[in-house]
Amino acid sequence: MGSKRDVEAERRKQILDAAEQVFARRGFDQARMDDIVAEAGLSKGALYWYYKSKDAIIRALLDRIFAGDLRQAGELAEASGSASDRLRLFVGRVIEEYRRLERLVPVVYEFVALATRPGPVRDTLVGYFRRYREIVTQIIRQGIDAGEFEPCDADAAAVSLISMYEGIALFWFFSSDLVDWDRMAEPPIEIFLAGLRRMGG
Amino acid sequence: MGSKRDVEAERRKQILDAAEQVFARRGFDQARMDDIVAEAGLSKGALYWYYKSKDAIIRALLDRIFAGDLRQAGELAEASGSASDRLRLFVGRVIEEYRRLERLVPVVYEFVALATRPGPVRDTLVGYFRRYREIVTQIIRQGIDAGEFEPCDADAAAVSLISMYEGIALFWFFSSDLVDWDRMAEPPIEIFLAGLRRMGG
Amino acid sequence: MGSKRDVEAERRKQILDAAEQVFARRGFDQARMDDIVAEAGLSKGALYWYYKSKDAIIRALLDRIFAGDLRQAGELAEASGSASDRLRLFVGRVIEEYRRLERLVPVVYEFVALATRPGPVRDTLVGYFRRYREIVTQIIRQGIDAGEFEPCDADAAAVSLISMYEGIALFWFFSSDLVDWDRMAEPPIEIFLAGLRRMGG
Amino acid sequence: MGSKRDVEAERRKQILDAAEQVFARRGFDQARMDDIVAEAGLSKGALYWYYKSKDAIIRALLDRIFAGDLRQAGELAEASGSASDRLRLFVGRVIEEYRRLERLVPVVYEFVALATRPGPVRDTLVGYFRRYREIVTQIIRQGIDAGEFEPCDADAAAVSLISMYEGIALFWFFSSDLVDWDRMAEPPIEIFLAGLRRMGG
DNA sequence: TATGAATGAGTCTTCATTCAT
DNA sequence: CATGAATGAAGACTCATTCAT
């Protein structure tokens, strides 16, 4: 049993989990290494043994949150079924993802704020958005080719769709009392699909 | 001429302008008061004469950016013309606003990150979003009542629309090379309006 | 009418009175020039017109409080009457003085703390104590010479007497609920005088 | 040996000793944390590791100086022997204490100045004086009951006695060239005891 | 004389990081 | 591997004093 490896993995997870909590609570800059240490139940030395710096923790967290490879989502581009259904599926997965990351939203916006300026965080997020966009663009294009959707700027439409849910997530965060996912899941995609659909078709 | 008032107003503007630059460049926490002082071309003492603390500057900036009362946008709800046209106008104004705030985007996301946690920043942003939402909901509802749009959850639709442009702004920020406002202005609203019209279809 | 002089004198008194209040409230170091300015109802510029610095104000206050020349007290040394009566009179005046300075006690101890270290404050206080001591020593010596008191170290006795009331003032300040001047005025001097009379006994 | 505890105790002593020196030299407000750091031979971080703030150091010093419980002095109230002898003993111990604290006198008056205003310093000193007073009052009362002293206000007498030595300490501090403890130890207490004594038996 | 905005050196305190044990 | 005391550069803020008006 690779117990050495296991301990290392365990410790790293412990630290990242703790950092997540603390960063969500205070933001990157206001978070103190001591907070993370306390939250993780480790010692300062132990923390620095596994991560060389605060920045290293932030980068590790960035990966853990945004480096998922969207493979599942990507498969949708090549799956069978109508483009509409595949977009519905896609949106369902995105929402699922959002729900999963719920308590991380503060950290996500912390990253967004950082990504505002050049650097590795920005690069990661740019890539993340590009991949999503490519997938959705491809599905919409297939819908147009198949005569399911009106001809249109598929890329602009893709950006619109992703943006809509991205924006709803932000909105939700500022009015969770008024907006809830159960209610906000269907209408947007249905309006959007209706807008894309070839009517006379 | 009230030169005393003028000097005060001038200094405050000088400081807020400088703070905007510096905050955009470095983020709230990484920004140094000395940076602001240098950018403003004032002395430390002068800065503190007008704003008691870094936080006071941030709050003043929050007001300057988000406390605009959306009166113009609000008027659209009561204007004449089709709901579609009024929504188009609304979107046009929002985009105009985004363009105007372009260089402030980093600061805006800085605020969003802050708004993630309870406090005055959050309160301000929550109010800001609520007002937008009310206006758009009203217009859509009028469109439905007038038979222009298919019946639907007007509020959900409003959130969707605002979110879409909100999200596009974010998207744009991460791929200004791929997305530009000239191209992204029309398609989203047109798809959306078509969707509202055809929903039942 | 020397109105110019009058204004100057008036302003200086205004400032010193204000400084007294503020120093009593906050101590020399914690007192802010702005506090004094506010208390005096003057402007910063005006204050600095009359006193060149904070230290100048402190020195002026030192004079105002301790530079009284004790002439009255000094006269007692040459007055007629028994030594006991003259000491009683002396003590009465000292107490009167203490009562008058009541609200200045904090400032007085501020000066005492300062006088702890070499400098003009120390010099002033040293002189102040010396003069008191000389006067009392002389009266006691006269009492011994006149056979009214038993022979003793007149200087040590004088220091004891002055110290006693000095100490009572301090004590009073820390237990004004328990000690009051009406009760503490007579007993000490009477015990002391009895002691001087009976020493040999 | 608990070397961990030892190091902590050692460091705290180091810091308090250094603070004592610096505060004596400059006063609380004029003392710089860097002075204390330098005097203690520590780093700034180390100092703040053990004491959270300048104020915390001052409070710790307050305790170290005034929180001694006077147990020894208290025992005198219940010891055997004449009241006079026990008061002589008491005074001897007080003088001993003063000699011990000699170099701390500036700090003591720094505290007195602070105690002038409400707060923990004042509370501590008030308690300190109260305990002294209770002990001496009790002894004098016993002397009166035993017929050794004339009937009198025992409490006022106690305050007088303590005040006298308190005052002498102050006096001494301003004229150490003229007053020395060897000469000032006996006369005051003897005059005082003579004053209290029942002459006619 | 009087005003009060402006100056900037100086202070306390914080906290990421290191390293002897 | 782990500990936690120690480091010290850096930063927000203060405030006595000045000076243009």
Side-chain angles (χ1 to χ4, degrees):
Chain A
M1 312 174 301
S3 79
K4 197 169 290 183
R5 281 288 148 203
D6 287 356
V7 168
E8 163 143 15
E10 163 70 12
R11 288 280 179 281
R12 284 179 180 277
K13 181 172 160 25
Q14 232 175 311
I15 292 169
L16 255 30
D17 288 348
E20 238 171 51
Q21 301 290 337
V22 173
F23 287 152
R25 212 152 54 220
R26 318 253 267 125
F28 291 148
D29 285 292
Q30 292 302 319
R32 304 293 155 231
M33 291 303 262
D34 278 323
D35 297 337
I36 300 176
V37 158
E39 182 80 33
L42 292 174
S43 74
K44 207 94 151 259
L47 185 149
Y48 272 92
W49 180 263
Y50 292 104
Y51 289 100
K52 279 227 309 250
S53 68
K54 191 180 189 179
D55 203 59
I57 294 179
I58 293 175
R59 266 179 283 118
L61 217 44
L62 179 71
D63 285 350
R64 190 161 90 158
I65 294 177
F66 292 104
D69 59 8
L70 310 182
R71 207 170 300 155
Q72 280 202 334
E75 289 162 1
L76 287 177
E78 286 133 37
S80 61
S82 73
S84 294
D85 282 346
R86 282 181 287 146
L87 286 180
R88 286 190 185 97
L89 227 59
F90 173 82
V91 163
R93 291 208 183 138
V94 166
I95 289 177
E96 229 173 85
E97 178 83 356
Y98 286 159
R99 289 188 127 134
R100 195 173 60 75
L101 296 183
E102 194 171 312
R103 86 218 140 94
L104 284 189
V105 175
V107 179
V108 168
Y109 282 108
E110 206 71 21
F111 277 125
V112 168
L114 262 187
T116 255
R117 295 172 278 276
V121 174
R122 182 181 179 87
D123 296 342
T124 298
L125 292 206
V126 165
Y128 183 75
F129 277 110
R130 184 166 32 69
R131 280 172 292 157
Y132 263 113
R133 172 184 181 157
E134 283 167 358
I135 294 165
V136 176
T137 300
Q138 207 180 333
I139 301 178
I140 291 176
R141 200 165 279 145
Q142 291 166 353
I144 294 171
D145 291 347
E148 187 180 342
F149 298 148
E150 291 275 354
C152 71
D153 181 337
D155 188 55
V159 169
S160 301
L161 178 57
I162 298 168
S163 293
M164 190 160 59
Y165 281 93
E166 207 69 56
I168 290 171
L170 176 59
F171 222 116
W172 164 84
F173 202 67
F174 289 125
S175 30
S176 43
D177 50 325
L178 302 171
V179 177
D180 70 282
W181 282 115
D182 288 329
R183 177 176 164 223
M184 287 308 300
E186 306 272 321
I189 179 68
E190 293 308 330
I191 293 173
F192 191 84
L193 289 176
L196 286 181
R197 224 175 289 136
R198 170 159 229 122
M199 294 312 288
Chain B
M1 304 181 301
S3 78
K4 198 166 290 184
R5 280 283 148 204
D6 288 356
V7 168
E8 164 143 14
E10 162 71 12
R11 288 282 177 280
R12 284 179 181 277
K13 182 173 158 27
Q14 233 175 311
I15 291 168
L16 256 30
D17 288 348
E20 236 171 51
Q21 301 290 335
V22 173
F23 287 152
R25 212 151 54 221
R26 317 253 267 129
F28 291 147
D29 285 293
Q30 291 302 319
R32 303 293 153 233
M33 291 306 263
D34 278 325
D35 297 338
I36 299 177
V37 157
E39 182 79 32
L42 293 174
S43 72
K44 203 106 142 252
L47 185 151
Y48 275 94
W49 179 264
Y50 292 103
Y51 290 100
K52 280 222 305 271
S53 67
K54 191 180 189 178
D55 202 60
I57 295 179
I58 292 175
R59 268 179 282 119
L61 219 43
L62 179 72
D63 284 349
R64 189 161 90 159
I65 295 177
F66 292 103
D69 59 7
L70 311 182
R71 206 169 301 156
Q72 279 203 335
E75 289 163 2
L76 288 177
E78 286 133 39
S80 61
S82 72
S84 294
D85 281 347
R86 282 182 287 147
L87 287 179
R88 285 190 186 97
L89 228 58
F90 174 81
V91 163
R93 291 210 182 135
V94 167
I95 290 178
E96 230 172 84
E97 178 84 355
Y98 286 160
R99 289 188 126 133
R100 195 172 62 74
L101 295 183
E102 194 173 312
R103 90 222 134 89
L104 284 190
V105 174
V107 180
V108 168
Y109 281 108
E110 207 71 22
F111 277 125
V112 168
L114 263 186
T116 257
R117 296 172 276 276
V121 174
R122 182 181 178 89
D123 296 340
T124 298
L125 292 205
V126 165
Y128 184 75
F129 277 110
R130 184 168 30 70
R131 280 172 293 158
Y132 263 116
R133 171 185 182 156
E134 283 165 0
I135 294 166
V136 176
T137 300
Q138 207 180 333
I139 301 177
I140 291 177
R141 200 165 280 146
Q142 291 166 355
I144 294 170
D145 291 347
E148 188 180 340
F149 300 146
E150 292 290 331
C152 71
D153 181 336
D155 189 57
V159 169
S160 301
L161 178 57
I162 297 167
S163 292
M164 189 161 59
Y165 281 92
E166 207 69 57
I168 289 171
L170 177 60
F171 222 118
W172 164 84
F173 202 69
F174 289 124
S175 28
S176 45
D177 50 325
L178 301 171
V179 177
D180 69 281
W181 281 116
D182 288 328
R183 178 176 163 221
M184 288 307 300
E186 306 272 320
I189 179 69
E190 293 307 332
I191 293 174
F192 191 84
L193 289 175
L196 284 180
R197 267 183 258 115
R198 299 172 191 168
M199 271 298 282
Chain C
M1 310 175 302
S3 80
K4 196 168 290 183
R5 281 288 148 201
D6 287 357
V7 168
E8 164 143 12
E10 163 70 11
R11 289 279 179 281
R12 285 179 178 275
K13 179 171 160 28
Q14 233 176 311
I15 292 168
L16 256 29
D17 287 349
E20 236 170 51
Q21 302 289 335
V22 174
F23 287 152
R25 213 151 52 219
R26 317 254 267 127
F28 291 147
D29 285 291
Q30 291 302 319
R32 303 294 156 233
M33 290 305 262
D34 278 322
D35 296 338
I36 300 176
V37 158
E39 181 80 32
L42 292 175
S43 73
K44 207 96 150 259
L47 186 149
Y48 273 92
W49 179 264
Y50 293 104
Y51 289 99
K52 279 223 315 244
S53 68
K54 192 181 189 178
D55 203 59
I57 295 180
I58 293 175
R59 266 179 283 119
L61 218 46
L62 179 71
D63 284 350
R64 190 161 91 157
I65 295 178
F66 291 104
D69 57 8
L70 310 183
R71 207 168 302 155
Q72 279 201 335
E75 288 162 2
L76 287 177
E78 286 133 36
S80 63
S82 72
S84 294
D85 281 348
R86 281 180 289 147
L87 286 180
R88 284 189 187 97
L89 227 59
F90 173 81
V91 162
R93 292 210 182 134
V94 167
I95 289 178
E96 228 172 85
E97 179 82 356
Y98 285 159
R99 288 186 127 134
R100 195 172 61 76
L101 295 185
E102 193 170 313
R103 89 221 135 92
L104 284 189
V105 175
V107 180
V108 168
Y109 282 108
E110 207 70 21
F111 277 125
V112 168
L114 262 187
T116 257
R117 295 172 276 278
V121 175
R122 182 180 178 88
D123 296 342
T124 298
L125 291 205
V126 165
Y128 184 74
F129 277 111
R130 186 167 30 70
R131 279 172 294 157
Y132 263 114
R133 172 185 182 157
E134 283 165 0
I135 293 165
V136 177
T137 300
Q138 207 180 332
I139 301 178
I140 292 177
R141 201 164 280 147
Q142 291 166 353
I144 294 171
D145 291 345
E148 188 180 341
F149 299 147
E150 290 290 329
C152 70
D153 181 335
D155 189 57
V159 169
S160 301
L161 178 59
I162 298 168
S163 293
M164 189 159 61
Y165 280 93
E166 207 68 56
I168 289 171
L170 176 59
F171 220 117
W172 164 83
F173 202 69
F174 288 124
S175 29
S176 44
D177 50 325
L178 302 171
V179 177
D180 69 281
W181 281 117
D182 288 328
R183 178 177 163 220
M184 288 308 300
E186 305 273 318
I189 179 70
E190 293 308 329
I191 292 174
F192 191 84
L193 289 175
L196 284 180
R197 266 183 259 116
R198 299 173 192 168
M199 272 298 281
Chain D
M1 300 185 303
S3 76
K4 198 167 291 184
R5 279 285 149 205
D6 288 356
V7 168
E8 163 143 14
E10 162 71 13
R11 288 281 178 281
R12 284 180 180 276
K13 181 173 159 25
Q14 235 176 310
I15 291 169
L16 256 29
D17 287 349
E20 236 171 50
Q21 301 290 335
V22 173
F23 286 152
R25 211 152 55 221
R26 316 254 266 127
F28 291 148
D29 286 292
Q30 290 302 320
R32 302 295 152 233
M33 291 306 262
D34 277 325
D35 297 339
I36 299 177
V37 158
E39 181 80 32
L42 294 173
S43 72
K44 206 104 144 250
L47 185 151
Y48 274 93
W49 178 265
Y50 292 103
Y51 290 99
K52 281 221 306 273
S53 68
K54 192 181 188 177
D55 202 60
I57 295 180
I58 293 175
R59 267 179 283 120
L61 219 43
L62 179 72
D63 283 350
R64 189 162 90 159
I65 295 178
F66 291 103
D69 58 9
L70 311 182
R71 205 169 301 156
Q72 279 202 335
E75 289 163 2
L76 288 177
E78 287 132 37
S80 61
S82 71
S84 295
D85 281 347
R86 282 181 288 145
L87 287 179
R88 284 190 186 98
L89 227 57
F90 174 80
V91 164
R93 289 203 184 142
V94 167
I95 289 178
E96 231 172 84
E97 179 83 354
Y98 285 160
R99 291 188 125 131
R100 194 172 62 75
L101 295 184
E102 193 172 313
R103 89 221 136 89
L104 284 189
V105 174
V107 179
V108 168
Y109 282 108
E110 206 70 22
F111 277 124
V112 169
L114 262 186
T116 256
R117 296 172 276 277
V121 175
R122 183 182 177 87
D123 296 341
T124 299
L125 292 206
V126 165
Y128 184 74
F129 276 110
R130 185 168 30 71
R131 281 172 292 156
Y132 264 114
R133 173 185 181 154
E134 284 165 0
I135 294 166
V136 176
T137 300
Q138 207 180 333
I139 301 178
I140 292 177
R141 200 164 279 145
Q142 291 165 353
I144 294 171
D145 291 345
E148 188 181 339
F149 298 148
E150 292 275 353
C152 70
D153 182 336
D155 189 56
V159 169
S160 301
L161 177 59
I162 297 167
S163 293
M164 190 160 60
Y165 281 93
E166 209 67 58
I168 289 170
L170 177 60
F171 222 118
W172 165 82
F173 200 68
F174 289 125
S175 29
S176 44
D177 49 326
L178 301 171
V179 177
D180 70 280
W181 282 116
D182 288 328
R183 178 176 160 221
M184 288 306 301
E186 306 271 321
I189 179 68
E190 293 308 330
I191 292 173
F192 191 84
L193 290 175
L196 287 180
R197 224 172 291 136
R198 173 158 227 121
M199 292 312 286

